[in-house]
Amino acid sequence: MKKTVISLSLIALSVLPVSADSVKVPQLKYSGPYPVTVPFQVDSVDVNSKGFEISSILDLPFSLDKLDKSTLTIDSILNPGDGAAIHLVGFKIDNPSYLNGKINVKGADCYRLYVDGKRNDSGDVKLTPATHEIVIKCLTTPLKADTISVSIDTDRPENVVLDYSDTRRYSLPDVLHGERIQSASISPSGKYLFTGYYDVAPGGKTTHAYKVTDVSTGKQIASYGEMMNWMPSTDRLYYTQRYGDDTKLFIVDPLTGEHDGAGYTIPDGRFMISPTEDFLISTVVQKGPGEDADVYEIIHPDDRQPGWRNRSSFLKYGLTSNVSVPLTFGYRDANLCDISSDGSKMLFTVKSSRLEKRPTSLTALYLMDLNTMKVDTLVAGDGFMASAALSPDGSKVVLVGSPEAFDGIGKNVKPGQTPSMYDNQMYVMDIATKEIKPLTRDFNPAIENVEWSRHDDKIYFRGENRDCIDLYRVDPVTGKIEDLGSREEVVNSFSIAATSPVMVYYGQGASNSDRLYTVNLKNMKHSLVDDVSSRRLEGIRLGECEAWDYVTSRGDTICARYILPADFDPAKKYPMIVNYYGGCNPTSRNFESRYPHHVYAAQGYVVLVIIPSGASGFGQEFSARHVNTAGEGVAEDIIEGVKQFTAAHPFVNEKKIGCIGASYGGFMTQYLQTVTDIFAAAISHAGISDHTSYWGEGYWGYSYSEVSMANSYPWSETDLYVKQSPLYNADKVHTPILFLHGDGDTNVPVGESIQMYTALKLLGRETAFVAVNGANHQIVDYHQRQKWQDTIFAWFAKHLKDDNSWWEALYPAKSL
């Protein structure tokens, strides 16, 4: 058999056009021959009266993975040998853009064509941007040798990039599929680690796996089929299951697998187990009064929300006594915050509505003595408090709330500014004196979640630090804050042991997926436990991600970052996609995103992510700029950033820049097009077009406006609600805008896209509107998300690459 080997360090070969619409494949990988036998024919026909055909051997199971790295020159002979044999030949198409074509196989009498592992008898292919594996399984017989050649017919031969490397392009399937960490928690002693994983297979099926490992050795000691949690004080796990009409709680020793009895029948609903482990407090939900299904009354703006009329109260349930004791009663909603370490007290909140004044709801904080039922009011009513937890000795409470909480003792803004309610701060209350002390007023990162350590009496927390989420701890006495030096740019979750200096956390970065770590909190040694990212991204090429800050004309330093294509060539001109939120939070350096920056880059775009004014994580003054601006200032930050970036980076084609944002970012997309023409295409997903209609119709419209439009209302501040709304400036839009919206969106109702789309159609401007059936504010259904993401890719390809083939394949023209 004639074989020619080429260097496999070559990543991509130049295409070789045979004609204007054909590309010849110059080299093929080869593996074989694999001898096969012809079966002994007991009869001349089978049960269906059909004679034996040797080609049927091709349909028997055979691993396509046998194709090795060697190559065979085109027009080479597949030597039949002494008998029948199977040969595998193949190549990869590494197309950066949508490819519509036909694969032609000549010279092989008997073969099967496979594209990405799926049989393709026609040869017709519609390939989304990715690295696609093409394998041809051939069968030869002693009668004659085959001479094989392959070509690809397409009207865009520049999209056929042949790849013989061992790597591949990052693509949407890599975002949708694969293994991720679901949860990670440390046992109370710090000796054992419980980790949950989930794995999404092609087609959307999700499987879960849970395991316990010994922290000191890394050895797995147990595996489970369901999610579990550690008991508060002992190294035992618990889980719940439904048995008929009952809920059963089971407690398991992970070392022996032994269960603590036959399980405990507990009340339905959420619960918290006391640190003493002899009782739990269950949150009991009482269903509110019903209405006629056909004609019904709405008694509150929030009454449209399913379950709003339901209310919660608490029940103490003894795990050994099986006795239930009611703890609270009433029509106002109660929320359990914490149980003291000695099991003697319960910390909880009660919420009351107050629509006539901002804030429109007030939260009271109470401490109940579970032995005497005496209740101490810690906070009579505060509209800016978010959460609370007890100190290990029960003498203090750590509180999380906005800068305006507790009469504004945590405020650190300029005169006349209203702080952002999303820029959470940390406070500590002394229960005896009711004195509250702010801990983070001069600390820029916004507080995400907190945990007060029983081991060292320090408060550990995640902080939103610019476009990262980092780990910190604070001494509640001195107020000293330490950065724990997390090894990931975005920490998704952490857990600390109750009785030893051990922490576990997992997270990811702008260019890596999940990684899991333990930390010795004495010497601050971080140990990598599981690198899921290396498994998920094995063999994938990613482009460089670089931080890029710039100074605006107002003198502000704005945080940004950019991602380059993996095969970046500084001598080329690239189209660019700009992503932002523009609302109350930054666009974090999170690899797993519904707007996957590295997929855009893999399709040949430079990606610029901008964190404009108004985001939390940069200090209170910066985040306060989100309040009562309705895009003003934020838009200028984005526009100046794009202009400065293109001026500093000549590899960007300034005529081919697109932008995309969702929710408040969708509003920013629309608003930007009313004040600038620098974009060649724009995408608004679930964006606000009219602040007034969103204020009144969205489930959280009026309450979110307490954040973004503090103390401003449609009847009092028309400049904000009307003049800053894209709908009332639609005639200024000249950029092609794609509107994407779930038609079941309860946060930003779909009418926000409909009315802006209608306005642009009446104005004769280029626009498109794609609705997602039944989807809410986010697109979570596997199959819907595929087409939704492809829609985004296709719109940008149409306007930034002048290639409308993908868009027309998804949405062919209709004569209506």
Side-chain angles (χ1 to χ4, degrees), residues 698-713:
Y699 271 11
W700 301 276
Y702 82 94
S703 55
Y704 180 72
S705 294
E706 292 184 44
V707 181
S708 61
M709 307 287 208
N711 297 311
S712 300
Y713 302 94

Side-chain angles (χ1 to χ4, degrees), residues 263-316:
Y264 304 90
T265 301
I266 64 173
D268 292 337
R270 304 188 311 273
F271 62 88
M272 182 184 295
I273 298 176
S274 168
T276 56
E277 299 188 356
D278 57 341
F279 71 91
L280 59 80
I281 295 177
S282 177
T283 299
V284 179
V285 178
Q286 182 182 22
K287 190 174 182 180
E291 291 279 347
D292 186 306
D294 296 318
V295 181
Y296 54 90
E297 180 186 15
I298 294 176
I299 62 173
H300 189 281
D302 294 343
D303 194 20
R304 298 171 300 145
Q305 302 177 27
W308 176 83
R309 294 189 179 189
N310 299 340
R311 295 294 186 266
S312 298
S313 59
F314 307 124
L315 197 68
K316 180 181 177 182

Side-chain angles (χ1 to χ4, degrees), residues 387-402:
S387 65
L390 288 162
S391 64
D393 65 3
S395 67
K396 297 180 178 64
V397 177
V398 58
L399 302 159
V400 174
S402 79

Side-chain angles (χ1 to χ4, degrees), residues 698-773:
Y699 271 11
W700 301 276
Y702 82 94
S703 55
Y704 180 72
S705 294
E706 292 184 44
V707 181
S708 61
M709 307 287 208
N711 297 311
S712 300
Y713 302 94
W715 54 88
S716 65
E717 301 291 341
T718 55
D719 282 356
L720 278 177
Y721 281 89
V722 176
K723 292 184 180 180
Q724 290 293 108
S725 291
L727 181 63
Y728 299 98
N729 296 279
D731 59 326
K732 301 173 184 175
V733 175
H734 299 282
T735 305
I737 302 181
L738 166 64
F739 296 94
L740 292 167
H741 222 123
D743 65 14
D745 196 332
T746 55
N747 186 346
V748 179
V750 67
E752 293 298 312
S753 286
I754 293 172
Q755 57 195 11
M756 190 64 178
Y757 167 76
T758 301
L760 295 179
K761 292 294 284 187
L762 293 178
L763 288 164
R765 308 291 158 78
E766 184 173 358
T767 185
F769 177 38
V770 174
V772 185
N773 182 36

Side-chain angles (χ1 to χ4, degrees), residues 29-192:
K29 291 182 180 180
Y30 173 82
S31 184
Y34 301 99
V36 294
T37 58
V38 177
F40 172 71
Q41 298 186 34
V42 178
D43 299 297
S44 59
V45 296
D46 63 13
V47 70
N48 294 311
S49 301
K50 291 184 178 180
F52 174 75
E53 296 182 2
I54 194 168
S55 62
S56 64
I57 294 176
L58 282 173
D59 300 324
L60 298 175
F62 192 91
S63 175
L64 301 181
D65 295 335
K66 290 180 177 292
L67 188 62
D68 66 18
K69 300 177 183 178
S70 60
T71 56
L72 174 73
T73 56
I74 207 68
D75 297 330
S76 291
I77 299 172
L78 297 179
N79 190 341
D82 297 330
I86 285 179
H87 311 256
L88 296 181
V89 294
F91 58 99
K92 289 189 292 185
I93 300 177
D94 188 46
N95 52 302
S97 299
Y98 184 78
L99 179 62
N100 182 9
K102 183 180 180 64
I103 299 174
N104 302 302
V105 179
K106 296 182 179 180
D109 289 337
C110 192
Y111 71 91
R112 298 286 186 266
L113 173 67
Y114 297 87
V115 179
D116 294 329
K118 295 182 179 180
R119 181 170 164 178
N120 183 322
D121 290 337
S122 68
D124 296 325
V125 291
K126 296 181 183 298
L127 304 179
T128 60
T131 304
H132 299 276
E133 191 82 31
I134 313 300
V135 178
I136 305 162
K137 182 168 63 171
C138 305
L139 178 68
T140 59
T141 66
L143 300 178
K144 75 176 193 68
D146 286 348
T147 302
I148 189 169
S149 64
V150 182
S151 63
I152 304 166
D153 293 339
T154 176
D155 58 353
R156 299 187 73 93
E158 68 275 11
N159 288 341
V160 182
V161 180
L162 304 177
D163 185 355
Y164 298 96
S165 73
D166 295 327
T167 63
R168 58 186 175 87
R169 187 181 299 269
Y170 188 64
S171 63
L172 181 57
D174 296 307
V175 177
L176 297 176
H177 307 148
E179 180 187 26
R180 293 168 178 84
I181 298 175
Q182 176 183 339
S183 65
S185 58
I186 199 77
S187 70
S189 72
K191 294 180 180 179
Y192 307 110

